[in-house]
Amino acid sequence: MILYHGSTVEVQQPRILKSEIGRDFGFAFYTTDIRTQAERWARRRAMIESRRTKIEVQPVVSVYEWDEDAAKQLRLLRFDGAGLELVVACRSRTDYSHDYDIVEGKIANDNVGETVSYVMQGIMRREDAIERLRFEEINNQIAFCTEASLYTLHFQNSYICGSVKP
């Protein structure tokens, strides 16, 4: 399966960065099987970086072949719908970790992120949030959470999808 990672640099050797708190499935290397989603993410990252640095930044999408047969030897969690419990735990607790090598599920777009935030703050019941999320058009993400899982990804190429001026 072909997977994409949106960034501002080519990523030939994926790594798990533990600097970004509040990620949906915890610390991981995040990809998607939806090319346009990776391009949107790359452009968003480029916009943030270009504003911060005051220089033009190029959005870059790295492309990988995912060896799903090799991944069958690992602990894989797939969600059919939004994995609300896991997302809430990962976003609210910096010390939270799970036992999965790879987690595949739905990405928290702005509406989903807002709903998760309401649950975390106690404003919305989990049951109501799950009902609300059923009607969202949600994209897909595949998080590689362990070093072993990264070996199932094989870099193919990368491409620039525009540029963002400050």
Side-chain angles (χ1 to χ4, degrees), residues 10-27:
E10 178 181 85
V11 181
Q12 290 186 20
Q13 298 291 322
R15 320 182 271 146
I16 298 168
L17 301 177
K18 299 199 176 195
S19 61
E20 294 187 24
I21 299 170
R23 303 298 300 269
D24 288 351
F25 301 144
F27 297 121

Side-chain angles (χ1 to χ4, degrees), residues 5-103:
H5 173 79
S7 181
T8 58
V9 296
E10 178 181 85
V11 181
Q12 290 186 20
Q13 298 291 322
R15 320 182 271 146
I16 298 168
L17 301 177
K18 299 199 176 195
S19 61
E20 294 187 24
I21 299 170
R23 303 298 300 269
D24 288 351
F25 301 144
F27 297 121
F29 181 74
Y30 284 81
T31 65
T32 181
D33 56 350
I34 304 169
R35 182 180 182 150
T36 56
Q37 178 184 323
E39 290 172 353
R40 280 192 312 270
W41 183 253
R43 284 191 290 275
R44 180 177 180 269
R45 299 290 296 203
M47 181 181 63
I48 291 167
E49 193 170 321
S50 69
R51 286 180 181 164
R52 182 180 56 78
T53 62
K54 308 282 192 260
I55 60 172
E56 185 174 341
V57 177
Q58 296 180 323
V60 178
V61 174
S62 296
V63 182
Y64 306 90
E65 177 69 35
W66 181 27
D67 185 348
E68 291 181 272
D69 287 334
K72 289 177 184 175
Q73 307 301 315
L74 303 173
R75 296 162 302 204
L76 173 64
L77 175 63
R78 279 195 164 114
F79 290 111
D80 290 331
L84 183 63
E85 295 297 326
L86 181 63
V87 172
V88 168
C90 289
R91 284 188 168 205
S92 62
R93 293 183 42 209
T94 57
D95 64 337
Y96 182 79
S97 65
H98 52 73
D99 293 327
Y100 299 103
D101 296 294
I102 302 168
V103 179

Side-chain angles (χ1 to χ4, degrees), residues 8 11 20 38 46 49 61 91 112-113 117 127 133 137 141 149 155 157 162:
T8 58
V11 181
E20 294 187 24
E49 193 170 321
V61 174
R91 284 188 168 205
V112 176
S117 176
E127 299 81 17
L133 294 175
E137 184 178 319
Q141 64 185 349
S149 70
F155 178 79
N157 58 57

Side-chain angles (χ1 to χ4, degrees), residues 136-147:
E136 288 291 330
E137 184 178 319
I138 302 175
N139 292 319
N140 197 43
Q141 64 185 349
I142 304 167
F144 294 82
C145 306
T146 63
E147 293 298 320

